Amino acid sequence: MERLDWGQGGNRIARSSTYRRLIDQINRIVRARGMASYLIALLAVLFATAVRFGLEPWLGGRAHYLVFVVAVFIAAMFGGSLPAMFAAALSVFAVKLLGETPPGEPSAGVEFLTFAGASAVVIWLVHLIMQLRRQSALDEGRARRREEDAIRLVEERGLLLDGLHGHAIIMLDVEGRVRIWSKGAERLLGWSEGEANEEPWAFVYPASAILEGRPAADLDRARADGGFTGPAALLDKAGRPVSAEFSFAPLHDVRGRFRGYAIMLKGA
């Protein structure tokens, strides 16, 4: 195995005995893993040789390379392409030792070519599978980082919304149901986030306004006009009137698709 090359820019660091020991340790690990891969390939071929020898009474001089394809597969799975090629070469040598079909017979060449082709396909398929697994791991890592970033943004957004004293921030989905209910909304209207979440926006309106269709009319107006501001006559959890000024705006994503509504309430 090649030693790690840190380039000219790392000469100063390489002078440090601590970093030299670290580099040597990494090189030892890389070499050990490489040797282990070839050792697995060797053991797989030896096992296949023993199996093939034991099956000879039933195979009767046929299918000399059959079990060795499995050895190539094992070497490819645990070591990659080079150990798998090493296993294939050892397999050919093992078949020679076991006494294959005489070279002059056509079946000998056919068996060898079939084994070579099968080994090539196995190595290619395992290489493809390993690439897909690595790509999947990378995608999973990216997805995990995006999730962590999203959680952090949500937490930061929550801190921001909760810090707006005297203001209530509410977000609704496209159907007008509560999706975000800030601490300011809880202080102003009395309902907690758990109580308000998923509820239709109409639950904060007086019964008379609901009968008049005011909640739906406000949603339609906000979407049609691109938002509006004005006085809001609402009720708190105890049924007391709450006078407030509100700003009502529709929300769209980067592609222009409608995603819901944003409401900011300020107690009068």
Side-chain angles (χ1 to χ4, degrees), residues 104-115:
E105 295 187 13
S107 58
V110 171
E111 282 195 35
F112 173 76
L113 291 176
T114 301
F115 171 72

Side-chain angles (χ1 to χ4, degrees), residues 17-221:
S17 60
T18 301
Y19 281 94
R20 282 202 301 271
R21 287 196 296 270
L22 177 60
I23 293 170
D24 290 340
Q25 182 65 25
I26 293 173
N27 281 320
R28 283 195 294 270
I29 294 173
V30 171
R31 286 196 298 270
R33 288 182 177 178
M35 293 176 64
S37 299
Y38 287 96
L39 179 60
I40 290 173
L42 175 61
L43 292 176
V45 173
L46 290 176
F47 181 75
T49 302
V51 172
R52 179 62 185 81
F53 181 77
L55 293 176
E56 176 58 27
W58 290 273
L59 294 177
R62 299 184 301 274
H64 296 86
Y65 291 96
L66 180 62
V67 294
F68 291 98
V69 175
V70 178
V72 173
F73 173 77
I74 293 173
M77 285 295 297
F78 286 94
S81 299
L82 291 179
M85 294 177 186
F86 174 69
L90 285 180
S91 299
V92 174
F93 179 71
V95 170
K96 297 292 184 181
L97 290 179
L98 289 172
E100 64 169 355
T101 305
E105 295 187 13
S107 58
V110 171
E111 282 195 35
F112 173 76
L113 291 176
T114 301
F115 171 72
S119 298
V121 171
V122 166
I123 293 171
W124 176 77
L125 285 176
V126 171
H127 178 70
L128 180 62
I129 291 171
M130 299 302 289
Q131 278 190 323
L132 292 175
R133 289 178 61 183
R134 284 193 293 269
Q135 186 61 44
S136 177
L138 288 174
D139 292 342
E140 183 178 350
R142 295 191 188 102
R144 189 181 300 111
R145 287 193 295 273
R146 286 196 295 268
E147 182 180 356
E148 292 171 353
D149 291 341
I151 292 173
R152 186 175 65 254
L153 287 173
V154 169
E155 292 175 346
E156 291 173 352
R157 181 189 62 185
L159 292 174
L160 175 62
L161 296 183
D162 295 343
L164 294 174
H165 296 288
H167 292 77
I169 305 297
I170 302 168
M171 292 186 67
L172 313 177
D173 63 14
V174 295
E175 296 178 352
R177 294 184 179 273
V178 175
R179 285 291 177 264
I180 293 178
W181 186 266
S182 71
K183 291 294 184 182
E186 183 175 340
R187 289 190 292 266
L188 183 63
L189 298 173
W191 282 278
S192 67
E193 181 181 5
E195 293 172 321
N197 193 38
E198 301 289 341
E199 289 294 328
W201 166 241
F203 83 99
V204 297
Y205 283 76
S208 58
I210 294 175
L211 291 175
E212 295 173 359
R214 180 68 180 275
D218 285 344
L219 295 177
D220 293 340
R221 179 184 174 188

